[in-house]
Amino acid sequence: MIVWVVHGTSGEREWHAVSAEETLGRLETFRGGLEEAEASRRLAEVGPNALPEPRTIGLVRTFAGQFTSPLIYLLLIAGMLSLVIGDRWDAIFIFGVLLANAAITTFQEMKADASARALRSLVPQTARIRRSGIARDVLSAEIVPGDIVELESGMRITADLRLIETLGLQVDEAPLTGESLPVSKKAETLLDQATPVGDRRNLAFAGTTIMAGRGLGAVVETGERTQLGQIGRTLEEAAHLAVDTPLVRRLDKLARQIAIGAILLIVLLSAILLLQGDGWREILLLAIALAVAAIPEGLPVAVTVALAAASHRMAQRNVIVRELPAVEGLGACTLIATDKTGTLTVNRLTAERVVLADGTSVDRKAWQAGEGHKAALSELGLAAALCNEARLTETGSPVGDAVDVALLSFARENGHDISSLVEAQRLAVIPYEPELRFAAVEAEVGEHTRIVVKGAPEAVIPMCGGDTDDLQAIAEKLAADGYRVLFLAEGMADERAEHIRDRLKGLQPIGFVGLTDPLRSGVVEAVAHCREAGIAVRMITGDHPATALAIARQIGLPATGDSVVTGAQLKEWADDPDLMERKVGQASVFARIEPAQKLSIVRKLAKQGHIVAVTGDGVNDGPALRAADIGVSMGVQGTDVARGASDLILADDNFATIVSGVEEGRVTFANIRKIVLFMLATGIAEIAMFLGALLAGLPMPLTPVQLLWLNLVTNGVQDVTLGFGRGEGDELKHPPRRRLASLIDREALILMVPGALVMTGMAVWLLGQLLAEGAPLADARNGVLLMVVLFQNAFLLAIRNLRSPFWRWHQHENGWMFLGIAAALSLHLGAMHWPVTQQLLGLSPVGMEQVLYCLIAGVLVLIVTEIAKFFAERNGNSDHSRDRRNASPI
């Protein structure tokens, strides 16, 4: 058995813990590469260097999945019973509703899963390798363990490599580990077995990009055995364990409750009718009617419209919706677990503070505003541009190493023509190397020749003459504030020295440059808004703990050294789950976190009762995005993997945009709740009418097809307009609702029941009155049907705003709702005069006396519901106070 096949077995040291020569020995290869025959044999043994194909759900399975709700089962049974007793039109209506709902939902869900395809797209199609001592390009799928890969700037890495040779090699690992800066690689480094992935400086990983330098690497892992492949497996596992959004869970809970209630009611009333001696046909008709009355058939369509409208509003605020139920879910979240790089920060290294040679500190805003120290800042900018390896594009934009690009931008901001400085003649250069930790240049500036050195303070300060204690203190202070610190010094050319290295002593300090990845605009305010809205914020990053802590303090998180948890600590606590869960709950910052650990953190936060929204942009964020209640990815700098695993995408990559999404999510929940209130209040009234008629010894007040007309047409035209509501303006001033707070709670019952009971009493009275006057049953039902339509109009008018009386016009009024009321009433009045609907629904024009009764009923419902709103508001205020007391700390 070959060693490279059994990597990871007990007692086997991992690749970062063995030397380059030992790696070649274990892989049974050499610097000239494998022989072709051996490479072919290994390819047959381990398989191609490719990630597995994604598994997709077909159209048929997706469509069939729409018929798994208990409410659907009830309607299917009702439709079949209609066929049994010969009510063909009732059956057609019922089955038509089921098919229409299933088609709409299937259309929304038929989106290809892009995650696995995006993972494969991170691996380039070809790579330059050595085979039999000859360098050539091969398809990446044909790479095998033991191949020797040549690396140079701009290449994307094809497989996991143990580096054999490096020369100034720097790799962008941000998509994989979250590290915000390019990582310097060194082949000679030997690391401890427990070194985290983000600190393995002698390895290069598939899917990352070489930013500078050259190197040679031996392939140690391919395909799904790479770090990228492990993330893919974790992503697939997360997909199986992914939780439904809060809205989906609430609607499922509501569906179960309605189904159980409807079944119990049907069984009870059927038993009563059977004991009274009624025939099977009458019993089945009642069962069908109760099933149709109890089930809000139009709810899926109305919710879909509400979510689609919210999706449009969110898009206008830079939140792109991939999964419609996530629209409301973001508003329900109690905790946001956010990435740092590219989300809280702009993912662009920038000079934010400088300290001049005399100890004067100047921040970015000051030099941009021209507030003094121009000469000293200009001198520092000149030095930064001379000792610089960045270059300019045709448009004049600097490109190259992130540090050099930031220094050129600093020089431009302080009045220099960087194009001339980039082209200035360099007489001698010492390029930056990780081992040296500094760079130096001898250049002609005007009539003088000068030497400029830049680098880590601990490397450059000893080159200066005199007492350097003050310089060391400045460097330590900048580093403690979270800056990446560079120190620049200069000296005059000495013609007696043969090499520039011999002249790097007795230098004069020019100043310090503090570099950082600056915060995005609005982030600090957004975190404050989250605090006001009762939403906790946690930072989870692959970056260094000190950097993460500094950013946490800048954005206003209550972060101390004790509140930072590292990936290494999580590994130490793995054997003590209780301790780990407690530490995770207490921490506000997580640093040096690996993908699997981020997934574990999200699950533990959810276990503690949070509805968790996770943000991220890298490959490493994919599993956590998929497993979270709500996954939010970045649209500009996010990887395809992150976007494919998320529910929402931020078009501007800004954390502050999430707060806008939270507000829209809460508006959407309120809209959907009003839809449910409206539909269930109508359902309660319809069921109560049947019960009242049964107790009064009267026939069924409405037929099943009339109930379907109410639930789908007059109800449907009105309930969908509630989805266009724009909120009441104070959504972010309340804490999030309790986890899985029901759509129907005590406040909802207070709002629904009184008006429904008034409607019931009036409808049963009208049915009995008309029958007593000798009217045919069809005419009596015709009057009851009109009364229910007016009840819908009145109830909708009352609940459009739950905190203001119906006669008060407010700032965010929903004009669509008034159009819906008019349309529903017009449709019904038209149906009363159209021969087709007259025959199908049993309708006919009514006299003025019946119209007067119906109008009185509508006014009574309006008055009673307004009184109910007063008591519901009092109940809601007490609930909000309790929720705020129980809200999670930020």
Side-chain angles (χ1 to χ4, degrees):
M1 180 179 291
I2 299 175
V3 176
W4 47 266
V5 177
V6 294
H7 166 58
T9 56
S10 178
E12 189 76 46
R13 285 185 299 162
E14 295 197 47
W15 297 112
H16 59 274
V18 299
S19 68
E21 294 304 321
E22 185 177 348
T23 298
L24 294 175
R26 282 175 56 179
L27 292 168
E28 299 181 7
T29 189
F30 64 101
R31 278 178 164 78
L34 298 170
E35 298 293 332
E36 286 293 346
E38 175 63 14
S40 298
R41 188 186 68 78
R42 295 190 183 192
L43 182 61
E45 186 169 349
V46 301
N49 178 34
L51 298 177
E53 292 285 333
R55 289 180 300 211
T56 58
I57 299 176
L59 175 64
V60 175
R61 288 184 60 188
T62 303
F63 184 77
Q66 310 310 318
F67 296 90
T68 57
S69 166
L71 295 183
I72 301 300
Y73 298 152
L74 277 178
L75 282 178
L76 283 171
I77 294 171
M80 289 185 287
L81 290 177
S82 297
L83 288 176
V84 169
I85 62 176
D87 284 346
R88 180 165 50 91
W89 284 113
D90 287 359
I92 290 174
F93 258 74
I94 293 172
F95 290 137
V97 168
L98 292 174
L99 290 174
N101 282 339
I104 292 172
T105 311
T106 299
F107 175 77
Q108 294 294 336
E109 293 183 3
M110 279 304 296
K111 295 177 181 178
D113 185 359
S115 300
R117 286 191 295 277
L119 278 169
R120 291 197 304 281
S121 72
L122 285 174
V123 181
Q125 298 300 309
T126 62
R128 181 168 299 170
I129 67 170
R130 294 177 181 177
R131 292 266 176 92
S132 303
I134 301 174
R136 63 188 182 88
D137 291 340
V138 301
L139 294 174
S140 63
E142 297 176 1
I143 293 173
V144 297
D147 270 328
I148 304 300
V149 181
E150 294 185 353
L151 306 170
E152 62 183 41
S153 180
M155 283 186 172
R156 187 172 281 178
I157 298 173
T158 57
D160 285 0
L161 310 176
R162 173 56 167 94
L163 297 171
I164 306 300
E165 299 174 5
T166 53
L167 180 61
L169 191 67
Q170 292 190 321
V171 180
D172 177 14
E173 295 184 345
L176 188 70
T177 66
E179 179 68 57
S180 57
L181 297 174
V183 179
S184 297
K185 298 292 185 177
K186 188 175 181 181
E188 297 80 8
T189 302
L190 274 180
L191 300 171
D192 184 75
Q193 181 87 349
T195 303
V197 172
D199 292 330
R200 296 177 184 177
R201 298 295 191 255
N202 55 10
L203 297 185
F205 301 107
T208 60
T209 304
I210 300 171
M211 303 302 293
R214 298 184 301 277
L216 199 66
V219 175
V220 293
E221 302 291 359
T222 61
E224 62 181 0
R225 293 175 296 278
T226 62
Q227 287 293 323
L228 194 64
Q230 291 179 30
I231 292 176
R233 288 199 301 275
T234 306
L235 189 62
E236 187 174 345
E237 293 170 4
H240 293 306
L241 298 173
V243 295
D244 289 325
T245 62
L247 176 63
V248 172
R249 282 175 277 170
R250 287 180 175 121
L251 290 175
D252 285 345
K253 179 181 178 182
L254 178 63
R256 289 193 300 271
Q257 292 171 337
I258 292 174
I260 292 171
I263 291 172
L264 292 176
L265 186 62
I266 290 171
V267 170
L268 177 63
L269 293 183
S270 297
I272 293 174
L273 291 178
L274 188 62
L275 291 175
Q276 291 179 347
D278 289 16
W280 283 105
R281 179 177 175 80
E282 288 72 21
I283 294 175
L284 290 178
L285 276 173
L286 177 67
I288 295 168
L290 286 175
V292 172
I295 297 172
E297 294 89 352
L299 183 60
V301 173
V303 169
T304 299
V305 170
L307 294 176
S311 175
H312 177 71
R313 294 196 303 271
M314 281 189 162
Q316 293 178 325
R317 303 181 76 170
N318 289 322
V319 182
I320 309 302
V321 179
R322 290 189 68 249
E323 302 291 341
L324 283 182
V327 171
E328 181 275 337
L330 188 58
C333 78
T334 61
L335 183 145
I336 299 174
T338 178
D339 191 24
K340 178 187 75 67
T341 305
T343 307
L344 299 174
T345 64
V346 298
N347 196 21
R348 184 181 65 250
L349 206 59
T350 306
E352 288 290 322
R353 179 180 296 179
V354 300
V355 179
L356 303 175
D358 61 1
T360 302
S361 178
V362 185
D363 63 24
R364 183 179 184 80
K365 292 181 179 179
W367 74 66
Q368 286 183 328
E371 297 175 359
H373 310 288
K374 290 185 178 180
L377 288 169
S378 178
E379 184 70 15
L380 183 59
L382 174 64
L386 288 174
C387 191
N388 199 300
E389 297 178 48
R391 61 189 186 278
L392 300 181
T393 65
E394 294 180 355
T395 61
S397 300
V399 294
D401 177 78
V403 172
D404 285 337
V405 169
L407 292 178
L408 273 188
S409 297
F410 170 73
R412 176 184 280 166
E413 290 169 357
N414 284 281
H416 289 287
D417 177 11
I418 61 174
S419 60
S420 62
L421 294 177
V422 168
E423 298 299 328
Q425 184 178 3
R426 270 72 169 174
L427 303 178
V429 175
I430 300 177
Y432 179 84
E433 296 288 350
E435 296 83 358
L436 295 176
R437 305 197 70 192
F438 72 88
V441 64
E442 181 180 358
E444 289 186 354
V445 183
E447 299 178 356
H448 302 284
T449 300
R450 62 191 298 181
I451 292 173
V452 178
V453 183
K454 73 169 184 194
E458 55 268 32
V460 182
I461 288 176
M463 301 178 188
C464 297
D467 185 7
T468 60
D469 289 346
D470 290 344
L471 297 177
Q472 296 284 2
I474 292 171
E476 291 172 2
K477 176 65 168 60
L478 285 171
D481 289 340
Y483 293 102
R484 180 175 181 178
V485 186
L486 291 180
F487 179 59
L488 290 94
E490 67 174 347
M492 300 307 294
D494 185 351
E495 296 180 356
R496 294 171 296 176
E498 295 184 357
H499 195 277
I500 188 174
R501 289 181 184 272
D502 299 329
R503 290 174 261 175
L504 303 184
K505 54 188 175 183
L507 303 179
Q508 295 298 315
I510 305 176
F512 296 86
V513 179
L515 301 169
T516 186
D517 185 4
L519 295 179
R520 285 188 175 275
S521 174
V523 164
V524 175
E525 294 81 359
V527 172
H529 285 313
C530 286
R531 183 182 299 111
E532 182 182 15
I535 302 172
V537 178
R538 302 287 184 264
M539 183 196 300
I540 306 178
T541 178
D543 221 334
H544 192 278
T547 305
L549 183 59
I551 294 296
R553 288 169 175 165
Q554 291 178 43
I555 66 175
L557 291 183
T560 64
D562 294 336
S563 62
V564 179
V565 169
T566 66
Q569 290 174 314
L570 291 178
K571 289 182 178 179
E572 293 175 7
W573 300 331
D575 295 331
D576 191 344
D578 293 336
L579 175 63
M580 181 186 289
E581 189 164 332
R582 185 169 67 254
K583 292 290 187 180
V584 167
Q586 295 170 349
S588 58
V589 178
F590 300 86
R592 281 288 187 254
I593 298 300
E594 298 177 10
Q597 292 176 324
K598 186 169 185 176
L599 176 61
S600 175
I601 291 168
V602 169
R603 289 175 177 166
K604 283 179 170 54
L605 291 171
K607 185 179 178 182
Q608 293 173 11
H610 286 291
I611 295 178
V612 183
V614 172
T615 74
D617 60 355
V619 178
N620 58 318
D621 299 315
L625 288 168
R626 177 63 61 84
D629 293 286
I630 305 296
V632 184
S633 65
M634 306 298 112
V636 178
Q637 297 183 353
T639 61
D640 288 343
V641 177
R643 289 193 292 265
S646 64
D647 304 297
L648 304 171
I649 300 173
L650 301 185
D652 58 0
D653 287 13
N654 197 336
F655 178 85
T657 304
I658 297 177
V659 178
S660 300
V662 169
E663 182 178 15
E664 288 295 347
R666 293 187 177 184
V667 169
T668 304
F669 176 82
N671 289 343
I672 292 174
R673 188 164 180 266
K674 290 175 184 176
I675 291 172
V676 173
L677 285 176
F678 177 63
M679 299 187 79
L680 292 191
T682 302
I684 290 173
E686 292 168 356
I687 292 172
M689 280 191 290
F690 277 82
L691 294 176
L694 181 64
L695 292 174
L698 298 172
M700 289 194 309
L702 297 171
T703 66
V705 74
Q706 288 174 333
L707 290 169
L708 282 172
W709 170 261
L710 285 173
N711 291 352
L712 292 174
V713 182
T714 60
N715 234 9
V717 170
Q718 297 175 91
D719 56 35
V720 294
T721 63
L722 288 170
F724 295 99
R726 294 181 294 162
E728 300 179 12
D730 60 350
E731 282 74 22
L732 291 180
K733 296 181 181 179
H734 302 292
R737 290 183 171 271
R738 297 178 299 280
R739 185 174 182 86
L740 275 185
S742 176
L743 286 164
I744 302 303
D745 51 15
R746 182 173 55 183
E747 180 184 351
L749 292 174
I750 293 173
L751 289 168
M752 291 189 304
V753 172
L757 291 180
V758 169
M759 185 66 247
T760 297
M762 291 297 296
V764 172
W765 173 83
L766 179 63
L767 178 67
Q769 180 69 19
L770 292 175
L771 291 176
E773 293 175 357
L777 179 58
D779 290 349
R781 286 172 173 168
N782 181 48
V784 170
L785 191 58
L786 176 61
M787 181 176 284
V788 176
V789 171
L790 289 176
F791 159 69
Q792 293 173 344
N793 296 159
F795 187 74
L796 185 61
L797 189 63
I799 67 166
R800 79 183 196 280
N801 189 313
L802 298 179
R803 299 191 180 98
S804 300
F806 76 90
W807 60 82
R808 182 175 299 167
W809 190 269
H810 63 98
Q811 180 181 0
H812 303 281
E813 197 66 74
N814 179 7
W816 288 102
M817 189 216 64
F818 295 98
L819 183 62
I821 291 175
L825 188 57
S826 299
L827 277 172
H828 189 74
L829 293 177
M832 293 170 64
H833 293 81
W834 189 33
V836 175
T837 48
Q838 285 179 338
Q839 181 178 1
L840 180 63
L841 300 174
L843 300 181
S844 61
V846 297
M848 288 305 300
E849 185 178 3
Q850 290 187 36
V851 171
L852 181 61
Y853 292 152
C854 293
L855 289 174
I856 291 173
V859 171
L860 286 176
V861 167
L862 199 58
I863 294 171
V864 169
T865 305
E866 281 298 319
I867 297 172
K869 280 167 58 178
F870 171 77
F871 289 101
E873 175 68 9
R874 292 180 58 184
N875 177 72
N877 286 337
S878 63
D879 284 347
H880 281 312
S881 299
R882 182 172 61 254
D883 286 346
R884 185 164 292 281
R885 290 194 301 270
N886 296 333
S888 301
I890 301 300

